[in-house]
Amino acid sequence: MCSKKYIELLEEVFIEFGESLLDSDYIYQEDNAAIHTSRLTKAWLAEKKIKLLPWPARFPDLNLIENLWGILANTVYGN
């Protein structure tokens, strides 16, 4: 996925979700994937005034979903 497609996804899904289910003071979490840290994505997030959770470089293990993906991969490919 490229930054442009990522932003389209955010516009089509995330914005509507955020406005309908979350209070206005939510913090969005991303990791340091290239599409999340590109100038295009950062500019779009700033324009939309979306607050981001600070995320340290090289710490994917802090993201719980990364651990879940690891368990899933071991289960699927373990045999």
Side-chain angles (χ1 to χ4, degrees), residues 1-12 35 40-41:
M1 180 178 286
C2 66
S3 296
K4 186 176 178 181
K5 289 289 185 187
Y6 178 62
I7 290 168
E8 287 174 15
L9 178 68
L10 290 175
E11 287 177 338
E12 292 171 8
I35 61 171
L40 186 62
T41 300

Side-chain angles (χ1 to χ4, degrees), residues 15-58:
I15 294 297
E16 182 178 327
F17 174 79
E19 289 175 355
S20 66
L21 297 177
L22 303 172
D23 77 25
S24 61
D25 198 31
Y26 64 88
I27 298 174
Y28 185 56
Q29 176 186 345
E30 297 180 314
D31 59 17
N32 288 316
I35 61 171
H36 301 159
T37 58
S38 72
R39 279 185 253 152
L40 186 62
T41 300
K42 285 181 177 181
W44 184 86
L45 290 166
E47 176 186 319
K48 299 294 183 182
K49 296 183 172 108
I50 296 173
K51 290 185 265 179
L52 293 174
L53 180 68
W55 201 253
R58 304 197 188 277

